Each structure stands twice: as structure tokens, then as C-alpha cells.
Amino acid sequence: ALNFIHPEDRVEFEQQVSRMVLLDQPLVSRIRVRAEDGSFRHIEIRMRLSSSGADRRKILGVSRDVTRDVTLTDELVRKQQEAEEASLAKGQFVARMSHEIRTPMSGVIGMLEVLLRAEVDQNKRAHAATALKSARDLMSVLDDIIDVSQLESRHLSLDNAPLSLSTVVDDVVSLFDTLARDKSLELRAVVPASMPEWVMGDHRRLRQVLTNLVGNAIKFTDAGKIEVSVSYDIDQQVARFAVRDTGAGVPEDVIDKVFVQFFQADSSKTRRHGGSGLGLAISKQLVSMMGGVIQADSKLGVGSAFHFTIAAPVALAPSPERVEPPAAPGASLRVLVAEDNPAMQQILRALLETDGHELTVVSNGRDAVAMAASQTFDVILMDIMMPVMDGPTAAQRIRELGGRAGGIPI
């Protein structure tokens, strides 16, 4: 009967039967058995020893054809692998396309900034300022799409370093101070004096969440005030944040959906406020990655409050980094620029040479290393993705040069 068993399963099955007899333990095994038409079927076999006399033992068993189950399982595994490969391909595509889109967008933003520095009439300045705002809004949407792609593919990681909670809150409030005053809104931070000076966390991602919440609060508030508060639970080592506004509010029947990707509380064609519907979904995932939860309370016509927590163990103050002394105001700097995009090279020349700085421009990391080794510069502006040698590799090679090059700001 063993001749009907698939050659790859035969030896293992014989060993399993031997162990069953030797140890007197039940056997459950799956093997492939040749059918009458020559194909192999997957068979599940259950066997055990049975004593029928003093010196006689029998093997009792039952078999079941599980070919359909195995086929379905294999198909599910294959589809899961295809889905994972498709997700990876999508992530790689978004990353590649984001770079291809960001580069010309950076050129648009840079050239508009150059134009606004020039002496142009008021109408042209207003047009350029509008175009610059639109370009920055588009870049913000692009950043959201990149974050979503990284979160879905689990390629987004967090930093863990000492940060100041009060500084993060104050920085975000300061960022929106002008926008709030333009709408005659009161924007204030509430930071208790008992806060620990330093905690561990990701400064950039915490700031991103707060920026999103405060930006939304200002967008949807036409009158009144916005309050950004932080408190700290020393026992649980948890930081608690709240952003409260007196804005339009969100209907109770949709408040639980505001953290869903692409959801818009007002999806009508006449809605007043734009947005991709990604900011709160990204914030929820970032807060979860930081060991916390986020929730919203709102009353239509009265206002909204967004609360979130993050794990924030108390930390020691970070070690001071050695920083080159700043140049005197108005001093001319010798700047090495490593940038392969001609438009960005032109923008950097227009921005920096106008201020009296001396530029040396190269188009790849290898030439940047050679220049840093042979000449003296005050600062290096290094692109990341370049031909021949990328920016991070070039920066490491320059650090390895030692001497002044080893400490030059990059």
C-alpha cells in the first residue's frame, strides 16, 4: 500500500507509524495518495493501536479526503501573498512617484519664493502669493498620501528621543498664531508648571498630530477661541493632550467616523472647507503607534474637543551636541550644494547668491565628497536621492574625512 503514497511523503509516514507503535500514541497525519486516474489526493489519516489479546495488537484507522480543504487553503495563501506583494508594489510606487512629484513641486515653490523676493507690482505679488499657497497646499496633500502609504505598508517608524512637551505645544501654537489673529480668534496654550522637563517620544510625529488638530480647529472656527492643553500623569508616565474650539462642531451621528480615511463630515458640493480627509486618520494611527488613543467630542454649533494620549516615560536631558558657531548676521558663507536637479540648482542660486553667499554646485554625492576634501566650506546643502552616490552615503564619507570637513554642518 505504501507504493500508492507520494514518494516525498512516504519516508516521513513510515517514521510516524513506527513512532505510533513504539510509543503507543495516536497518529494524525496528512499524506498524498495516488488515485485511480493517476492524480494525487490529499488524505488525512487518523490511526491508533488497539489490543485484541495478550499478544495481538491491531492498528485501527480512518482516512478522509481533504483535497478540497488543502486546495482552498493553498489558494488563500496564494491570494494573501499576492495581496502583500501588491501592497508592497503600491508602497514602492507611491514612494517613487512622491519623489518625482515633490521635486518639481519644490521647484515651483522655490521659484515663487524667489519671485516674491523681487520687486514686483502689487497685483503680480498677490498672484504669486496665491500660487505659492496653492503649491504648499498641494504639497501638504502629497505628504498625507505618503504617510498613509507608509502606514499601510508598515514602513513608517518612530524615533525615540528626549523631547520637551511644553516646547512642542508652544511651537505648534506659535506656528498658527498669525492665522488665528487673521480670523480674530483667541489661540492659547495651557501648560502646567508641574510638567516634567523631558520625556521620551517622537518629537516630529507628536508635532504632526498637534498641527493637524490645531489646523482643523482654526479651519472650522469662525469666532471664539481655541485652546491647546497638555497634562502629565506621573504614575502612568502618560502625556494627555486636548485641542478645544468654539467652531462649527460635528453632528453626533458622524463623530465616530471622523477618524476614517477620506471621510468628510460635510461631503456636499457646497461645503466650505477643503481637505483630503486623511489628516485625522493619520493622526489616529500615529497616536496608536505612540502607545495612546485619540477620541473626539463635539456638539453642532458649539464646538469640538479632540483628546489624545501618548506613552511618554520621563527622560534625562539630551546630551548637548557640538554645534559650529553661527556666522555673523549678513556674513557671506561659502556653500557647497549637492543637487542633481537643474531647477533646484537654479532656485538655490537665486535665493542664496542674492543674499551674498558664494555657491559651489555639484550634481552627485561623489563630487560633493571630493569638493569637501579639497576645499573649505561653511555649510553643505545635500540632496538625498542623487546618481553615482546618494546624500546619506556622501554625508558619512565627509564625516570620515575628519578635521574641519568632519564637523561641517550638512
Side-chain angles (χ1 to χ4, degrees):
L2 291 177
N3 292 331
F4 291 97
I5 300 176
H6 194 287
E8 295 179 1
D9 300 340
R10 195 174 299 160
V11 174
E12 174 65 20
F13 183 67
E14 288 179 331
Q15 292 174 349
Q16 290 175 341
V17 172
S18 298
R19 286 195 296 269
M20 179 193 70
V21 174
L22 180 64
L23 303 175
D24 192 14
Q25 293 180 345
L27 166 65
V28 179
S29 180
R30 282 190 178 184
I31 58 175
R32 288 166 291 179
V33 176
R34 185 186 293 110
E36 292 182 359
D37 61 1
S39 65
F40 281 95
R41 308 289 294 178
H42 292 268
I43 305 298
E44 180 181 86
I45 297 180
R46 295 175 178 269
M47 304 170 65
R48 66 179 178 84
L49 290 175
S50 175
S51 300
S52 59
D55 299 320
R56 297 181 61 190
R57 289 194 300 174
K58 294 181 179 180
I59 295 178
L60 301 180
V62 61
S63 63
R64 182 170 67 96
D65 190 329
V66 294
T67 303
R68 185 172 181 274
D69 295 343
V70 172
T71 302
L72 288 174
T73 300
D74 291 344
E75 181 68 13
L76 288 174
V77 170
R78 184 181 65 80
K79 288 186 178 296
Q80 182 180 2
Q81 290 175 341
E82 290 177 352
E84 291 174 351
E85 291 172 358
S87 178
L88 177 61
K90 184 187 75 172
Q92 293 173 339
F93 172 78
V94 171
R96 183 170 64 252
M97 289 307 299
S98 68
H99 178 73
E100 295 300 322
I101 297 172
R102 287 177 67 91
T103 298
M105 279 303 303
S106 297
V108 171
I109 292 172
M111 281 301 183
L112 289 170
E113 289 177 344
V114 171
L115 181 60
L116 287 171
R117 286 190 176 197
E119 294 183 5
V120 294
D121 64 60
Q122 197 63 29
N123 285 336
K124 291 180 180 178
R125 179 174 293 277
H127 294 162
T130 300
L132 179 59
K133 181 183 183 303
S134 298
R136 286 175 172 163
D137 289 344
L138 181 57
M139 189 72 89
S140 177
V141 173
L142 179 62
D143 287 340
D144 284 345
I145 294 172
I146 294 170
D147 282 343
V148 167
S149 175
Q150 289 180 325
L151 287 165
E152 288 181 346
S153 60
R154 299 180 181 178
H155 287 163
L156 191 149
S157 59
L158 297 179
D159 291 331
N160 193 35
L163 64 87
S164 167
L165 296 171
S166 59
T167 299
V168 175
V169 171
D170 289 339
D171 285 349
V172 172
V173 170
S174 297
L175 177 68
F176 288 98
D177 182 65
T178 300
L179 188 58
R181 280 191 281 107
D182 288 344
K183 295 186 70 174
S184 299
L185 300 174
E186 178 189 349
L187 174 61
R188 69 190 188 105
V190 178
V191 182
S194 59
M195 295 286 295
E197 186 175 1
W198 298 98
V199 298
M200 296 297 292
D202 188 320
H203 178 281
R204 177 180 171 224
R205 294 304 178 181
L206 174 57
R207 180 186 172 106
Q208 180 179 352
V209 173
L210 280 172
T211 298
N212 182 271
L213 297 180
V214 177
N216 281 349
I218 291 178
K219 181 193 298 185
F220 294 106
T221 303
D222 293 328
K225 64 180 181 179
I226 296 159
E227 180 183 278
V228 186
S229 63
V230 58
S231 61
Y232 190 80
D233 188 324
I234 191 65
D235 295 326
Q236 298 185 24
Q237 305 272 289
V238 166
R240 306 181 188 277
F241 298 86
V243 177
R244 299 178 176 87
D245 65 61
T246 57
V250 180
E252 292 182 5
D253 59 334
V254 298
I255 189 64
D256 293 334
K257 301 177 183 178
V258 295
F259 297 105
V260 177
Q261 286 184 12
F262 305 111
F263 175 78
Q264 299 281 1
D266 179 8
S267 58
S268 66
K269 294 180 180 179
T270 57
R271 65 190 182 97
R272 297 172 52 202
H273 306 286
S276 63
L278 292 173
L280 289 177
I282 293 170
S283 295
K284 180 180 180 180
Q285 290 177 280
L286 290 177
V287 167
S288 178
M289 289 178 66
M290 290 187 285
V293 293
I294 186 170
Q295 59 185 11
D297 301 312
S298 187
K299 188 172 183 180
L300 200 61
V302 176
S304 302
F306 286 80
H307 310 265
F308 71 94
T309 61
I310 62 168
V314 175
L316 298 176
S319 301
E321 298 181 2
R322 185 175 67 86
V323 179
E324 292 289 325
S332 175
L333 300 178
R334 292 158 297 181
V335 183
L336 172 61
V337 174
E339 168 61 65
D340 63 310
N341 184 273
M344 292 306 300
Q345 293 177 358
Q346 184 179 356
I347 292 167
L348 289 169
R349 285 191 183 278
L351 290 173
L352 298 177
E353 289 183 345
T354 301
D355 288 340
H357 303 299
E358 178 184 340
L359 265 65
T360 300
V361 180
V362 296
S363 58
N364 61 70
R366 183 184 62 187
D367 291 346
V369 176
M371 282 290 180
S374 61
Q375 298 186 29
T376 301
F377 297 96
D378 297 304
V379 64
I380 300 175
L381 301 183
M382 185 81 72
D383 190 18
I384 292 179
M385 297 177 65
M386 292 184 292
V388 184
M389 181 185 292
D390 62 33
T393 302
Q396 182 179 352
R397 298 284 174 83
I398 291 172
R399 288 287 178 256
E400 293 170 354
L401 293 174
R404 178 176 175 80
I408 185 173
I410 302 178

